[in-house]
Amino acid sequence: MPLHRAIYVSDAVGDAATSLLVLAEILGASDRNNRRDGLTGVLMRHGGRFMQAIEGRRIDVDRLMDRLRADPRHENIRLLSDQDAPVRLFREWPMTLVQLTPDAARLLNGASLDQLSPDRAEALLITAAKALPVPA
Ligand SMILES: Cc1cc2nc3c(=O)[nH]c(=O)nc-3n(C[C@H](O)[C@H](O)[C@H](O)COP(=O)(O)O)c2cc1C
C-alpha cells in the first residue's frame, strides 16, 4: 500500500492554544497510538493554531483524521495537503513537537499557517524539523 501524507491546520480551542499540559497529553497519546499504527509526523502550535503532518498507510492516516475531527481541543480543520508520497519526511518521529524557528518563519513570510500552499507547508515543517535532534 502506498505511503500517504496529510498536512492540516486547525484552530486551538480554549487553553489548548497555550497550555503545556494539553500539548503533553496530545503528544503522549500520539506517541503511543502512532507507534502502534506505523504513523510518523510533526506537530506545530503557533498563534492559536495547530499545524500537523501525518504520514503512513492511507487507512491509518484517515482513521486518525476521523479521531482528530472529533477532538474538542481544536476545530475548523483545513487540509493543506492530502496525497500519496514517495518517501517519509519525518521517519524518525511517531509524533514530535516542532517550533516555528526563524528559518521556518521566513518561509511563512508574514502569512498565516492556513494560507500556505501544499509545497510551502511541507517545506516549513521540514525546515522546523531540521532544528530537532535526531533520536539515536
Ligand atoms: C492538534 C492535535 C493533534 C493530535 N495528534 C494526534 C496524533 O498524531 N495521533 C493520535 O493518536 N492522536 C492525536 N491527537 C489526539 C486524538 O485527537 C485523540 O484524542 C486520540 O487519538 C485518542 O486516543 P486514545 O483513544 O488512545 O486516547 C491529536 C489531537 C490534537 C488536538
Side-chain angles (χ1 to χ4, degrees):
M1 195 188 250
L3 178 73
H4 194 77
R5 181 162 46 248
I7 303 178
Y8 73 85
V9 173
S10 64
D11 300 329
V13 169
D15 70 350
T18 53
S19 163
L20 269 180
L21 181 58
V22 168
L23 261 191
E25 285 167 353
I26 290 171
L27 290 168
S30 300
D31 193 70
R32 189 174 64 240
N33 293 336
N34 295 359
R35 282 178 195 277
R36 176 195 65 203
D37 300 335
L39 295 172
T40 51
V42 292
L43 175 67
M44 178 181 284
R45 186 176 67 179
H46 176 77
R49 295 199 172 92
F50 290 109
M51 178 154 82
Q52 186 174 25
I54 303 158
E55 50 193 22
R57 294 193 310 163
R58 169 151 221 165
I59 188 168
D60 296 305
V61 173
D62 285 347
R63 276 198 194 115
L64 175 54
M65 290 305 301
D66 286 344
R67 296 206 301 281
L68 289 169
R69 286 195 187 89
D71 192 320
R73 293 172 289 192
H74 65 173
E75 61 190 10
N76 198 12
I77 292 178
R78 292 86 99 188
L79 276 170
L80 299 182
S81 172
D82 187 31
Q83 51 196 339
D84 287 352
V87 292
R88 285 189 196 250
L89 295 174
F90 309 107
R91 62 170 60 256
E92 291 89 355
W93 303 286
M95 190 51 58
T96 192
L97 188 68
V98 294
Q99 310 286 342
L100 189 68
T101 57
D103 279 350
R106 222 164 281 135
L107 286 167
L108 198 54
N109 197 17
S112 87
L113 289 177
D114 53 347
Q115 294 171 324
L116 289 167
S117 68
D119 286 356
R120 254 183 196 240
E122 205 171 280
L124 185 145
L125 291 175
I126 292 170
T127 302
K130 286 201 176 119
L132 293 172
V134 174

